[in-house]
Structures are given as C-alpha cells and as structure tokens.
Amino acid sequence: MLRVVVCVSGGGTNLQAILDAVDDGRITNTQIVGVISNNPGVRALERARQHNVPGICISPKEYEKREAFHQALTETIDGLNPDLIVLAGFLVKIPEELVRKYSNRIVNIHPSLIPSFCGVGYYGLKVHEKALERGVKLTGATVHFVNEGMDEGPIIAQKSVAVEDDDTPEILQRRVMEQAEWILLPQAIDDIANGRIRVVDNKVKRTVE
Ligand code: GAR
C-alpha cells in the first residue's frame, strides 16, 4: 500500500478527486494517511474529515520564523510516514530539505502546460489570468515531480484544454480542472502506486509491462 499525504491550501477539489478515485478503484494500492493544510478552516480539511482522513493545519502565521514553520511541516509529514506527498493546490514553497529528503516522492499539479505559465507568481487563478492575457488557444495541466526549482521537476503527465473566446479566469480554471486536473492527478498516483513510472535522467519513463 502506497501511503500518501496530500497537502492543500483551499478548496480541495483535487483532493476530492483523489479521495473519490481511491473509493471507486481508479486509484489502487493506495491509502490516504493524512491531509495537511497551511490555512485553517478551509473546505479541503472538511473534505478530509468527511472521508475519515486526519486533517491537520500547520499555518505559517502560527510561527515567528519561517524555519520553525518548515520544521513543524517536516515533522508532521515525517510522522505520517508517507511513501508519496501530493501537492494538490498547496500554495506554499516546499522547504529544500524536505524536497531532498523525499526526492522523486513529491508530486505537484499545476494548472498550465509547463513550461508555459509557471514559476514564481504563477499559482491558482493567476495562471489562468495570464493565459487569457496572452491569448493562448490551448492551455491545460501538468503533474510533475517536485525538485528544488519552481515547477521544474520531471513531468509525469500533461493534458491540453481548449481556451474559448468568452472565457473568464474562473470559467477557464473550472474547465482545466474538469478536463485535466481531476483526471491526471489520480492517474499519476495510481501509476506511482503500481510501479508504472520511474525517473531516468530527470525524465519520467513508463515501465514496460
Ligand atoms: C488547482 O487548480 C491547482 O492546479 C492549483 O491550485 C488549484 C487548487 O484547487 N495549483 C497551483 O497553482 C500550484 N502552482 P483545489 O484546492 O480546488 O484543488
């Protein structure tokens, strides 16, 4: 059983997609052992509790120094003994020490086709605002392993989504979630849980069965 910790910051629709996929067997061989939020009172924590998964809040606001927050985050994650950490809309930069410790064992979902519209300052709705500003006709989502860079780790999967003329950032965000994110992220977790992918030379390869 792959032990998975999911880190969230807000609504938690990607978390919901994961929980539903575990329930209905699209993700196998996997147990969600905890959900960690950096914000208190978010819908994502409620979704965790509704599924009888421990929901824990570690807010940076509770700590005077960033290092203390990082330490609390690391200790909480370590305490859950995960095989995989999933950043499902976790809008906090992961401490480098944690990235090194869990090398190729942290995945992130990003709402664009990396390397477009990613990196510092590109998160949540902002990504879709920038895509609309630029007038791209295709956007999408990417699941990737997390390394020390920002949205730079090995890409696991990508799916494109059409941009329509009348899109608002909110409408586009919803379409990218429905047509890409909620499909890609559960698939990636299932692939990892069942040993179907591996990282070679900083690239993700599929294991031939
Ligand atoms: C999702 O669109 C996710 O891709 C994005 O935040 C949203 C969270 O929604 N993540 C990033 O932008 C990371 N750079 P959710 O809480 O409903 O899953």
Side-chain angles (χ1 to χ4, degrees), residues 7-17 44 47 87-92 108-112 114 117-119 121-128 140-142 144 150-151 173-174 176-177 181-182 185:
C7 297
V8 295
S9 292
T13 64
N14 278 285
L15 166 67
Q16 190 68 54
R47 292 179 197 273
L87 311 182
F90 190 56
L91 307 182
V92 167
N108 179 46
I109 178 98
H110 184 78
S112 75
I114 289 175
F117 307 112
C118 64
Y122 287 87
Y123 57 88
L125 209 54
K126 285 183 197 292
V127 179
H128 305 292
T142 303
H144 63 94
M150 189 74 148
D151 299 328
Q173 179 181 51
R174 182 77 190 180
V176 169
M177 285 174 161
E181 295 185 47
W182 300 342
L185 189 54

Coordinates of all heavy atoms in Angstrom, one line a residue, residues 7-17 44 47 87-92 108-112 114 117-119 121-128 140-142 144 150-151 173-174 176-177 181-182 185, ligand 1:
C7 N -1.2 17.6 0.5 CA -1.0 19.0 1.1 C -1.9 19.9 0.3 O -1.9 19.8 -1.0 CB 0.4 19.4 1.0 SG 1.5 18.4 2.0
V8 N -2.7 20.7 1.0 CA -3.7 21.6 0.3 C -3.6 23.0 0.9 O -3.0 23.2 2.0 CB -5.1 21.0 0.6 CG1 -5.3 19.7 -0.1 CG2 -5.4 20.9 2.1
S9 N -4.3 23.9 0.2 CA -4.4 25.3 0.7 C -5.8 25.9 0.8 O -6.0 26.9 1.4 CB -3.5 26.2 -0.1 OG -2.1 26.0 0.1
G10 N -6.7 25.2 0.0 CA -8.0 25.9 -0.1 C -9.2 25.0 -0.3 O -9.5 24.1 0.5
G11 N -9.7 25.1 -1.5 CA -11.0 24.4 -1.8 C -10.9 22.9 -1.8 O -11.8 22.2 -1.4
G12 N -9.8 22.4 -2.3 CA -9.5 20.9 -2.2 C -10.3 20.1 -3.2 O -10.6 18.9 -3.0
T13 N -10.6 20.7 -4.4 CA -11.3 19.8 -5.4 C -10.4 18.7 -5.9 O -10.9 17.7 -6.3 CB -11.8 20.7 -6.6 OG1 -10.8 21.3 -7.3 CG2 -12.8 21.7 -6.1
N14 N -9.1 19.0 -6.0 CA -8.2 17.9 -6.4 C -8.1 16.8 -5.4 O -8.0 15.7 -5.7 CB -6.8 18.5 -6.8 CG -6.7 19.1 -8.2 OD1 -6.7 18.3 -9.1 ND2 -6.8 20.4 -8.3
L15 N -8.1 17.3 -4.1 CA -8.1 16.3 -3.0 C -9.3 15.4 -3.2 O -9.3 14.2 -3.0 CB -8.1 17.0 -1.7 CG -8.5 16.1 -0.4 CD1 -7.4 15.1 -0.2 CD2 -8.7 17.0 0.8
Q16 N -10.5 16.0 -3.4 CA -11.7 15.3 -3.6 C -11.6 14.3 -4.7 O -12.1 13.1 -4.6 CB -12.9 16.3 -3.9 CG -14.3 15.6 -3.8 CD -14.6 15.2 -2.4 OE1 -14.6 16.0 -1.5 NE2 -14.9 14.0 -2.2
A17 N -11.0 14.7 -5.8 CA -10.8 13.8 -7.0 C -10.0 12.6 -6.6 O -10.3 11.5 -7.0 CB -10.2 14.6 -8.1
A44 N -11.0 22.1 2.1 CA -10.2 20.9 1.9 C -10.1 20.0 3.2 O -10.2 18.8 3.2 CB -8.8 21.2 1.4
R47 N -13.3 18.2 3.7 CA -13.4 17.1 2.8 C -12.6 15.9 3.4 O -13.1 14.7 3.3 CB -12.8 17.4 1.4 CG -13.6 18.4 0.6 CD -12.9 18.7 -0.7 NE -13.3 19.9 -1.4 CZ -14.3 20.0 -2.3 NH1 -15.0 18.9 -2.5 NH2 -14.5 21.1 -2.9
L87 N 1.1 17.4 -3.7 CA 0.7 18.8 -3.5 C -0.5 19.1 -4.4 O -0.3 19.2 -5.7 CB 1.9 19.7 -3.9 CG 3.3 19.4 -3.3 CD1 4.3 20.4 -3.7 CD2 3.2 19.3 -1.7
A88 N -1.6 19.2 -3.8 CA -2.9 19.3 -4.6 C -3.4 20.7 -4.3 O -4.3 20.9 -3.4 CB -3.9 18.2 -4.2
G89 N -2.8 21.7 -5.0 CA -3.2 23.1 -4.7 C -2.6 23.6 -3.4 O -3.2 24.3 -2.6
F90 N -1.3 23.2 -3.1 CA -0.6 23.6 -1.9 C 0.2 24.8 -2.3 O 1.2 24.7 -3.0 CB 0.3 22.5 -1.4 CG 0.9 22.7 0.0 CD1 0.1 23.1 1.1 CD2 2.2 22.6 0.2 CE1 0.6 23.3 2.3 CE2 2.8 22.9 1.4 CZ 2.0 23.2 2.5
L91 N -0.2 26.0 -1.9 CA 0.4 27.2 -2.5 C 1.5 27.8 -1.6 O 1.7 29.0 -1.4 CB -0.7 28.3 -2.7 CG -1.8 27.7 -3.6 CD1 -2.9 28.8 -3.9 CD2 -1.3 27.1 -4.9
V92 N 2.3 26.8 -1.0 CA 3.4 27.2 -0.2 C 4.7 26.5 -0.8 O 4.6 25.4 -1.2 CB 3.2 26.6 1.2 CG1 4.5 26.7 2.1 CG2 2.1 27.3 2.0
N108 N 3.3 17.4 -7.8 CA 2.6 18.6 -7.8 C 1.7 18.7 -9.0 O 2.0 18.2 -10.1 CB 3.5 19.8 -7.8 CG 2.8 21.2 -7.8 OD1 1.9 21.4 -7.0 ND2 3.3 22.0 -8.7
I109 N 0.5 19.2 -8.8 CA -0.4 19.5 -10.0 C -0.3 21.0 -10.3 O -0.5 21.8 -9.3 CB -1.8 19.0 -9.8 CG1 -2.7 19.4 -11.0 CG2 -2.5 19.5 -8.5 CD1 -2.9 18.2 -12.0
H110 N -0.1 21.4 -11.5 CA 0.0 22.8 -11.9 C -1.0 23.0 -13.0 O -1.0 22.3 -14.0 CB 1.4 23.2 -12.3 CG 1.6 24.6 -12.6 ND1 1.6 25.6 -11.6 CD2 1.5 25.3 -13.8 CE1 1.7 26.8 -12.2 NE2 1.6 26.6 -13.5
P111 N -1.7 24.1 -13.0 CA -2.8 24.3 -13.9 C -2.4 25.0 -15.2 O -3.0 26.0 -15.7 CB -3.8 25.2 -13.2 CG -3.0 26.0 -12.3 CD -1.8 25.2 -11.9
S112 N -1.3 24.5 -15.9 CA -0.9 25.0 -17.2 C 0.0 23.9 -17.8 O 0.3 23.0 -17.1 CB -0.1 26.3 -17.1 OG 1.2 26.1 -16.7
I114 N 3.3 23.2 -18.5 CA 4.6 23.6 -18.2 C 5.5 23.3 -19.4 O 5.4 22.2 -20.0 CB 5.1 22.8 -16.9 CG1 4.4 23.3 -15.7 CG2 6.6 22.9 -16.7 CD1 4.7 22.5 -14.4
F117 N 3.5 29.5 -18.4 CA 2.7 30.0 -17.3 C 3.0 29.2 -15.9 O 2.1 28.7 -15.3 CB 1.2 29.9 -17.6 CG 0.9 30.6 -18.9 CD1 0.4 29.9 -20.0 CD2 1.1 32.0 -19.0 CE1 0.2 30.5 -21.2 CE2 0.8 32.6 -20.2 CZ 0.4 31.9 -21.3
C118 N 4.3 29.2 -15.6 CA 4.6 28.5 -14.3 C 5.8 29.3 -13.7 O 6.3 30.3 -14.3 CB 5.0 27.1 -14.6 SG 6.5 26.9 -15.6
G119 N 6.2 28.8 -12.5 CA 7.3 29.5 -11.8 C 6.8 30.5 -10.8 O 5.6 30.5 -10.5
G121 N 5.1 33.3 -8.8 CA 4.0 34.1 -9.1 C 2.8 33.5 -9.9 O 1.8 34.1 -10.0
Y122 N 3.1 32.3 -10.4 CA 2.0 31.6 -11.1 C 1.4 30.5 -10.3 O 1.9 29.4 -10.2 CB 2.6 31.0 -12.4 CG 3.0 32.0 -13.5 CD1 4.2 32.6 -13.5 CD2 2.1 32.3 -14.5 CE1 4.6 33.5 -14.4 CE2 2.4 33.3 -15.5 CZ 3.6 33.9 -15.4 OH 4.0 34.8 -16.4
Y123 N 0.2 30.9 -9.7 CA -0.5 29.9 -8.9 C -2.0 30.2 -9.0 O -2.4 31.3 -9.2 CB 0.0 29.8 -7.5 CG -0.1 31.2 -6.8 CD1 -1.3 31.5 -6.1 CD2 1.0 32.1 -6.8 CE1 -1.4 32.8 -5.5 CE2 0.8 33.3 -6.2 CZ -0.3 33.7 -5.6 OH -0.4 34.9 -5.0
G124 N -2.8 29.1 -8.8 CA -4.2 29.3 -8.8 C -4.8 30.1 -10.0 O -4.4 29.9 -11.1
L125 N -5.7 31.0 -9.7 CA -6.4 31.7 -10.7 C -5.4 32.6 -11.5 O -5.7 32.9 -12.7 CB -7.4 32.6 -10.0 CG -8.7 33.0 -10.8 CD1 -9.4 31.8 -11.3 CD2 -9.6 33.8 -9.9
K126 N -4.3 33.0 -10.9 CA -3.4 33.9 -11.6 C -2.9 33.2 -12.9 O -2.6 33.9 -13.9 CB -2.2 34.2 -10.8 CG -2.4 35.2 -9.7 CD -1.2 35.5 -8.9 CE -1.5 36.2 -7.6 NZ -2.0 37.5 -7.7
V127 N -2.7 31.9 -12.9 CA -2.2 31.2 -14.1 C -3.2 31.4 -15.2 O -2.8 31.7 -16.4 CB -2.1 29.7 -13.7 CG1 -1.6 28.9 -14.9 CG2 -1.2 29.5 -12.5
H128 N -4.5 31.3 -14.9 CA -5.5 31.4 -16.0 C -5.6 32.9 -16.4 O -5.9 33.1 -17.6 CB -6.8 30.8 -15.5 CG -6.6 29.4 -15.0 ND1 -6.4 28.4 -15.8 CD2 -6.6 28.9 -13.7 CE1 -6.2 27.3 -15.1 NE2 -6.4 27.6 -13.8
G140 N -3.9 23.9 -20.2 CA -4.0 22.5 -19.7 C -3.5 22.4 -18.3 O -3.5 23.4 -17.5
A141 N -3.0 21.2 -18.0 CA -2.5 21.0 -16.6 C -1.3 20.0 -16.8 O -1.2 19.3 -17.7 CB -3.6 20.4 -15.7
T142 N -0.5 20.1 -15.7 CA 0.7 19.2 -15.7 C 0.9 18.6 -14.3 O 0.7 19.3 -13.3 CB 2.0 20.1 -16.0 OG1 1.9 20.8 -17.2 CG2 3.3 19.3 -15.9
H144 N 3.8 16.8 -12.1 CA 5.3 16.6 -12.1 C 5.8 16.3 -10.8 O 5.2 16.7 -9.7 CB 6.0 17.9 -12.7 CG 5.8 19.1 -11.9 ND1 6.7 19.5 -10.9 CD2 4.8 20.0 -11.8 CE1 6.3 20.6 -10.3 NE2 5.1 21.0 -10.8
M150 N 11.3 25.8 -9.1 CA 9.8 26.1 -9.0 C 9.2 25.6 -10.3 O 9.4 26.1 -11.4 CB 9.7 27.6 -8.9 CG 8.3 28.0 -8.6 SD 7.9 27.7 -6.9 CE 6.8 29.0 -6.6
D151 N 8.4 24.5 -10.2 CA 7.7 23.9 -11.3 C 8.7 23.3 -12.4 O 8.4 23.4 -13.6 CB 6.7 24.9 -12.0 CG 5.6 25.4 -11.1 OD1 5.2 24.6 -10.2 OD2 5.2 26.5 -11.2
Q173 N -10.5 28.2 -15.4 CA -10.0 27.3 -14.3 C -10.8 26.1 -14.1 O -10.3 25.0 -13.9 CB -10.0 28.2 -13.0 CG -9.5 27.4 -11.8 CD -9.5 28.2 -10.5 OE1 -10.6 28.8 -10.1 NE2 -8.4 28.2 -9.8
R174 N -12.1 26.3 -14.1 CA -13.1 25.1 -13.9 C -12.9 24.1 -15.0 O -12.9 22.9 -14.8 CB -14.5 25.7 -13.9 CG -15.5 24.7 -13.6 CD -15.6 24.3 -12.2 NE -16.5 23.1 -12.0 CZ -16.7 22.6 -10.8 NH1 -16.1 23.0 -9.7 NH2 -17.5 21.5 -10.7
V176 N -10.2 23.6 -16.9 CA -8.9 22.9 -16.8 C -9.0 21.9 -15.7 O -8.5 20.8 -15.8 CB -7.8 23.9 -16.5 CG1 -6.5 23.2 -16.1 CG2 -7.6 24.8 -17.8
M177 N -9.7 22.2 -14.6 CA -9.9 21.2 -13.5 C -10.7 20.0 -14.0 O -10.2 18.8 -13.9 CB -10.6 21.8 -12.3 CG -9.8 22.8 -11.5 SD -10.8 23.6 -10.3 CE -9.6 24.1 -9.1
E181 N -7.1 18.4 -14.6 CA -6.5 18.1 -13.3 C -7.1 16.9 -12.6 O -6.4 16.1 -12.1 CB -6.7 19.4 -12.4 CG -5.9 20.5 -12.9 CD -6.0 21.7 -12.0 OE1 -5.8 21.5 -10.8 OE2 -6.2 22.9 -12.5
W182 N -8.5 16.9 -12.6 CA -9.1 15.8 -11.8 C -8.9 14.4 -12.4 O -9.2 13.4 -11.8 CB -10.6 16.1 -11.6 CG -10.9 17.4 -10.9 CD1 -10.0 18.1 -10.1 CD2 -12.1 18.2 -11.0 NE1 -10.7 19.3 -9.7 CE2 -11.9 19.3 -10.2 CE3 -13.4 18.0 -11.6 CZ2 -12.9 20.3 -10.0 CZ3 -14.4 18.9 -11.4 CH2 -14.2 20.0 -10.6
L185 N -4.2 13.8 -12.0 CA -3.6 13.6 -10.7 C -3.9 12.2 -10.2 O -3.0 11.5 -9.8 CB -4.0 14.7 -9.8 CG -3.3 14.8 -8.4 CD1 -1.8 14.8 -8.6 CD2 -3.7 16.0 -7.6
Ligands
GAR1 C1 -5.6 23.9 -8.7 O1 -6.0 24.5 -9.9 C2 -4.2 23.6 -8.8 O2 -3.7 23.1 -10.0 C3 -3.5 24.9 -8.4 O3 -4.4 25.4 -7.4 C4 -5.7 24.9 -7.6 C5 -6.2 24.3 -6.3 O4 -7.5 24.0 -6.4 N1 -2.2 24.8 -8.0 C6 -1.2 25.7 -8.4 O5 -1.4 26.7 -9.0 C7 0.2 25.3 -7.9 N2 1.2 26.2 -8.5 P1 -8.2 22.9 -5.4 O6 -7.9 23.4 -4.0 O7 -9.7 23.0 -5.7 O8 -7.7 21.6 -5.7

